[in-house]
Amino acid sequence: MSLKMILVWAAIKPKLLELIRQEREEREKAAFKRRLIERYEEVGPYYSSFVEFCVPDIDRPFMPNIYDACRLPSIAELTQDNSAHTPVTGDRFRALGARLLAECREYINQAKYDLAEMLRCHRPSHMEENYPALSTLTPEQIHAEVTRGSSFFTCRNCTLTGFHSAQEICTHWRTVHPDLRWNDGWPYQLSTNHRRSPADRPKTTAFIEASSLEEDLHSALRSLGLPTGITCDELDFLVRDGRIICTCSNPELSPPNGLSWAFLASHPMPLELVKINDKFVLSGQTHRSGDIVVSPLACGCVSTFR
């Protein structure tokens, strides 16, 4: 080999070795990713059973979807063990036990905090003055705030319609959007956006958003003689018990035992909410003077009350 060839080889050899190393790493990463997807698929049925049978009723609606569940530390370690070569079995998954439940509760607390933050983005300043700073609230207080009967949410860029309780919207997210990171597309209106810069925010990804009806729903509940802190669960019971009904003849509203307060209050009909004796009636009729009446706009979303 000539001296010239030796010098050329000496010059290009490090670059070639670096290219080979990079190619090897890319192939290893791709193979690892394929194995990891297989491990995630194995986790799915075990996680579904865990949510259904091992999680307390109060936590179940807020549980993470499979995308976020697979990124919890315990499941991440399980799926990535031995470079994701080791299959996930029932015994290995069940061994996560209490640790997995504790991690899910951390996720739930953060999700509820996010929901409360969404509500406050729409809350008028004169209402916000009556609430302590979100960062000072306990998880129990945040839970109470997001599960009130005046706390409604919807899912944008999605086929879901109407407004829904915190429990309903989180269950929707877990079951309908299993492959999306928790509400990663929410376009924060706050100056301190720790998730994405405005240019990076996805425009077509589904995201959860709070309704702007909280103040109006407070007025509605007060007009009905109900505390503004009443929960969606308690109002759901009244709806399914037939004590809150709508006489608009919409076939979707029958039978009442399949309805929720959020659906009843936001279904697209020109309605008026009235108290008649010990029954609460949604009615499109004109009421006599003295009745307690709350009036939504004709679009069906409660927005103005008298």
Side-chain angles (χ1 to χ4, degrees):
M1 184 180 293
S2 67
L3 178 60
K4 184 177 180 180
M5 290 296 296
I6 292 172
L7 292 175
V8 170
W9 175 246
I12 67 173
K13 181 179 178 181
K15 296 178 182 179
L16 289 174
L17 290 176
E18 177 62 18
L19 290 174
I20 293 171
R21 184 192 65 80
Q22 291 178 2
E23 177 65 20
R24 184 182 297 117
E25 284 187 357
E26 290 300 318
R27 290 185 180 184
E28 289 175 354
K29 287 179 182 177
F32 174 77
K33 186 175 181 179
R34 289 193 296 271
R35 293 193 302 272
L36 199 56
I37 291 173
E38 291 179 8
R39 302 292 83 82
Y40 289 163
E41 291 174 350
E42 292 166 352
V43 164
Y46 299 123
Y47 179 68
S48 296
S49 296
F50 173 77
V51 172
E52 183 175 359
F53 299 111
C54 302
V55 176
D57 292 344
I58 193 172
D59 292 330
R60 187 174 299 113
F62 299 98
M63 288 289 286
N65 63 10
I66 189 63
Y67 179 95
D68 284 320
C70 286
R71 284 148 185 84
L72 295 173
S74 60
I75 296 183
E77 290 177 14
L78 176 70
T79 54
Q80 296 176 31
D81 183 38
N82 190 25
S83 296
H85 281 289
T86 306
V88 176
T89 63
D91 288 341
R92 296 184 69 217
F93 185 89
R94 284 188 290 272
L96 302 180
R99 180 188 174 192
L100 175 57
L101 188 56
E103 292 171 355
C104 287
R105 283 179 173 149
E106 288 183 15
Y107 166 95
I108 288 170
N109 287 340
Q110 181 60 51
K112 290 177 183 177
Y113 186 97
D114 291 345
L115 294 176
E117 192 173 22
M118 295 175 209
L119 288 168
R120 293 186 178 217
C121 284
H122 291 292
R123 188 173 291 158
S125 56
H126 66 272
M127 286 184 67
E128 187 64 27
E129 294 171 357
N130 300 323
Y131 290 85
L134 196 57
S135 59
T136 66
L137 300 183
T138 66
E140 292 74 21
Q141 290 171 319
I142 292 175
H143 174 84
E145 183 165 330
V146 301
T147 57
R148 285 193 306 247
S150 57
S151 299
F152 284 177
F153 303 87
T154 191
C155 191
R156 303 297 186 189
N157 295 330
C158 175
T159 56
L160 187 70
T161 59
F163 291 108
H164 304 268
S165 68
Q167 292 94 326
E168 290 170 339
I169 205 69
C170 288
T171 298
H172 163 82
W173 187 264
R174 187 181 77 250
T175 56
V176 178
H177 303 296
D179 300 324
L180 294 179
R181 178 184 173 189
W182 161 246
N183 217 21
D184 197 34
W186 181 41
Y188 273 56
Q189 300 299 318
L190 306 177
S191 58
T192 53
N193 176 12
H194 301 296
R195 298 187 182 214
R196 292 171 177 266
S197 66
D200 292 333
R201 292 173 188 160
K203 304 302 181 185
T204 58
T205 303
F207 64 91
I208 294 169
E209 187 175 54
S211 80
S212 58
L213 311 177
E214 185 178 27
E215 183 176 18
D216 303 319
L217 288 166
H218 276 195
S219 298
L221 293 169
R222 283 194 294 267
S223 295
L224 292 171
L226 295 171
T228 56
I230 190 171
T231 68
C232 273
D233 283 345
E234 291 168 328
L235 287 163
D236 285 346
F237 173 79
L238 294 176
V239 170
R240 289 161 187 162
D241 195 43
R243 295 181 60 194
I244 301 181
I245 63 172
C246 178
T247 60
C248 71
S249 71
N250 186 331
E252 293 184 4
L253 298 181
S254 181
N257 59 7
L259 298 178
S260 69
W261 159 249
F263 179 85
L264 194 68
S266 65
H267 73 290
M269 285 289 182
L271 306 173
E272 292 186 342
L273 190 57
V274 205
K275 181 176 180 180
I276 300 178
N277 299 324
D278 62 342
K279 286 229 177 206
F280 307 99
V281 179
L282 286 165
S283 173
Q285 301 174 357
T286 302
H287 297 283
R288 62 173 184 251
S289 175
D291 285 336
I292 300 176
V293 179
V294 233
S295 305
L297 295 177
C299 67
C301 298
V302 186
S303 38
T304 17
F305 293 93
R306 301 177 197 175

